[in-house]
Amino acid sequence: MNNGPNPNLKYPIPNQTRLVYLKNIINNPNIIVGDYTYYDDFENPENFERNVLYHFDFIGDKLIIW
């Protein structure tokens, strides 16, 4: 029995759109996150990838957040 939030939802807290589960918004295959990894941003949390700096995919860099 699981009483926790559903990790497949973009927004884990109802009526709260400044917090997202990252795995549901990331498009870059070199950014790997866990099921419950979340990001809070009062402007636009869906801009997370734009905030990833110094990530050089051409040399094989990966960002892994568990």
Side-chain angles (χ1 to χ4, degrees):
M1 183 173 182
N2 184 359
N3 293 325
N6 182 348
N8 296 314
L9 297 175
K10 184 187 288 189
Y11 304 106
I13 302 172
N15 302 315
Q16 177 60 269
T17 58
R18 64 177 273 175
L19 184 117
V20 296
Y21 279 139
L22 284 178
K23 75 169 196 154
N24 299 315
I25 64 163
I26 290 180
N27 295 312
N28 186 333
N30 291 330
I31 300 176
I32 302 163
V33 298
D35 285 346
Y36 292 95
T37 303
Y38 62 89
Y39 177 67
D40 183 306
D41 186 324
F42 65 91
E43 289 182 0
N44 183 0
E46 296 190 37
N47 281 336
F48 173 79
E49 288 184 60
R50 195 175 89 201
N51 295 317
V52 176
L53 305 176
Y54 309 109
H55 182 255
F56 305 113
D57 57 348
F58 61 89
I59 60 171
D61 280 356
K62 291 191 182 294
L63 173 62
I64 302 171
I65 306 171
W66 290 110

